[in-house]
Amino acid sequence: PTAYMIHFGLDQQPGFAMIEPGTTQIQYTFNRSNSLQIQGGNEQHLYNQFLQACQPVFNSIDSLGRVANDHLNEPDVLNSLERQYGHFDTLMKQLQTDFIHAHPDLYSGAFVAVNYVSGLENRSIEHIQPLYDALQDKIKNSYFGRKLKSVLDVLRQTAVGQPAPDFTTPDISNKPVALSSLKGHIVLLDFWASWCLPCRQENPNVVMAYQRYHE
């Protein structure tokens, strides 16, 4: 068994199904949000129960999003909404971790664990290792179990005090530069993307850091 994303078209809402041996029935009404219904085996049954428990939190977060869109130029309102979002985000994370620990023998538990980790703003070994340890061996060896382990492996490689993983990238003159070639110097690494608004907002601070420290 594993999780599959189901697409009904570019303008339709996708969904996830826990496909496993046996018959799976999928019902979807086009152009109607939250209309997807899936019935299958035990994995799907328990995952459906998890989604039902999460639905009130989903609804609250959606409501906050609609209110935020109506008050984009009102910082006080947005700050209040952000605090409320933090409350519901905490509830969602608790539901996720409860499901993982309650069902260490489910493939869907590993799927939920990967989604939990992807939603963490600050990932740490201390957060993720207990989730991975809770899974049974057969689940650890599944697709999503291996994805969870890969996150842990990366965190161990990039933990404070560990040598940074080496890589080579072109400089502004298109000449290849390896990070390891800068060993012995103080190096600031900033990973950003042109489409990322917080990244672009941070760019002037990177320029100021360069101007102050580049020598």
Side-chain angles (χ1 to χ4, degrees), residues 87-214:
H87 167 71
F88 290 117
D89 184 56
T90 299
L91 286 179
M92 179 63 69
K93 286 181 170 56
Q94 188 62 55
L95 288 168
Q96 290 172 312
T97 54
D98 287 348
F99 181 77
I100 297 162
H101 286 291
H103 302 289
D105 58 335
L106 290 187
Y107 293 88
S108 51
F111 170 69
V112 171
V114 169
N115 278 289
Y116 168 82
V117 169
S118 67
L120 290 176
E121 187 171 340
N122 297 304
R123 301 177 185 178
S124 69
I125 295 175
E126 291 76 18
H127 268 114
I128 303 170
Q129 188 70 53
L131 300 180
Y132 180 75
D133 291 342
L135 302 176
Q136 291 187 359
D137 287 345
K138 69 173 184 177
I139 308 301
K140 289 179 180 177
N141 292 323
S142 68
Y143 173 78
F144 288 103
R146 294 194 303 271
K147 283 185 72 72
L148 198 61
K149 184 179 184 300
S150 70
V151 174
L152 284 168
D153 291 342
V154 169
L155 286 174
R156 290 191 184 94
Q157 294 172 8
T158 57
V160 174
Q162 294 298 313
D166 195 23
F167 62 89
T168 301
T169 191
D171 66 9
I172 58 175
S173 301
N174 209 34
K175 296 178 180 178
V177 175
L179 178 62
S180 56
S181 69
L182 303 175
K183 190 173 182 179
H185 299 272
I186 295 175
V187 179
L188 168 64
L189 287 179
D190 180 47
F191 296 94
W192 61 280
S194 58
W195 45 260
C196 170
L197 179 59
C199 301
R200 300 309 301 269
Q201 290 172 331
E202 188 65 18
N203 285 160
N205 294 324
V206 177
V207 172
M208 285 190 293
Y210 172 78
Q211 292 171 341
R212 184 172 181 179
Y213 296 113
H214 74 275

